[in-house]
Amino acid sequence: MKVLGRLTSAHSRIISAIVWLFVGAQTLPDMFFEKTKLNASKCYDTTSDVFVEDYLTYSIIRTMTGFCLPFLITLGCYTHVIMKLCSSRAADTDCLLKRRCLKLLLVLILLFSVCYIPYHILRNLNLWVRVLTKKNQCYSWFNTVYVAHQVGRGLVCLNPALNPLVYLHVSEELSTGIKTLRTQAHLLVSRISLTPALEREIH
């Protein structure tokens, strides 16, 4: 709130450029890791077993800087907004609007956490399993980690599809509008289906 009005469009462009450069610097090393076997019989979304130790180190660093840091910043911003909404007076903020905003923020935080935190943890854990396997160490929980990692990848893909549904569900006005349209459609269908019966009775 304190910086409201102080950030110009030039500041926004500079910040955006810095963020994109930071993201590019994070993802650039991934291009230099081997992604296929020598005979191209197998592809990896991470790297081959030859460089898996180095990739695990890189993945942990990228998780800390590319996920944990932005997540903490986002969580801090959301928490600040929630505190502002909770401390605002009813005269300043409409109670219904405040409740909608709080619900939306809490659901978004929960959804983001459920979809992304397991993915990053299990991704690095799965890489560690590959490191142990390379050292001829085998444990019964390796398969569980692999299956859980695949589930985590699915949750990440599901997140962009769930976000619009969250906005749809949380927005009470939109939900009410949809219910009204559904009722009107039901009445229209009922009238159409009753019309032939009434005509037969008249004739």
Side-chain angles (χ1 to χ4, degrees):
M1 297 296 181
K2 293 181 179 180
V3 298
L4 189 62
R6 298 181 184 178
L7 289 177
T8 64
S9 58
H11 291 145
S12 300
R13 286 193 290 268
I14 292 172
I15 293 173
S16 179
I18 292 173
V19 170
W20 278 109
L21 287 174
F22 181 66
V23 172
Q26 282 184 318
T27 56
L28 186 62
D30 187 62
M31 299 174 59
F32 298 99
F33 281 97
E34 186 180 70
K35 298 295 183 181
T36 60
K37 284 189 174 182
L38 294 178
N39 56 2
S41 61
K42 188 174 183 180
C43 298
Y44 301 93
D45 64 331
T46 52
T47 190
S48 63
D49 293 337
V50 178
F51 305 101
V52 68
E53 294 93 342
D54 295 332
Y55 196 92
L56 175 59
T57 303
Y58 161 69
S59 180
I60 292 174
I61 294 173
R62 194 174 70 173
T63 298
M64 297 300 295
T65 58
F67 170 71
C68 294
L69 182 60
F71 177 70
L72 291 176
I73 293 174
T74 303
L75 189 62
C77 293
Y78 279 8
T79 303
H80 179 70
V81 173
I82 291 173
M83 291 175 62
K84 283 291 184 181
L85 287 172
C86 292
S87 62
S88 61
R89 298 177 181 177
D92 299 330
T93 307
D94 182 74
C95 292
L96 182 59
L97 179 60
K98 183 195 296 185
R99 188 164 61 249
R100 290 175 186 168
C101 292
L102 288 173
K103 185 190 298 183
L104 178 61
L105 289 172
L106 292 174
V107 171
L108 288 177
I109 291 172
L110 179 62
L111 182 62
F112 187 87
S113 301
V114 169
C115 289
Y116 284 97
I117 291 178
Y119 167 76
H120 287 280
I121 293 175
L122 292 169
R123 172 186 170 89
N124 291 309
L125 192 57
N126 187 63
L127 287 169
W128 184 49
V129 166
R130 290 179 59 190
V131 171
L132 294 178
T133 303
K134 184 180 177 181
K135 296 178 180 179
N136 295 322
Q137 299 182 33
C138 185
Y139 299 96
S140 58
W141 49 270
F142 280 9
N143 288 333
T144 304
V145 170
Y146 176 78
V147 172
H149 175 50
Q150 305 311 312
V151 174
R153 294 173 66 179
L155 287 175
V156 169
C157 298
L158 192 62
N159 182 264
L162 291 178
N163 274 334
L165 297 179
V166 170
Y167 284 101
L168 183 67
H169 177 72
V170 173
S171 177
E172 295 181 4
E173 290 182 352
L174 190 56
S175 299
T176 303
I178 291 176
K179 289 179 181 178
T180 303
L181 289 174
R182 187 185 302 169
T183 303
Q184 292 176 351
H186 179 71
L187 291 174
L188 181 61
V189 171
S190 300
R191 290 174 183 174
I192 293 174
S193 60
L194 288 175
T195 300
L198 291 174
E199 290 178 353
R200 284 195 299 270
E201 290 179 2
I202 293 173
H203 294 292

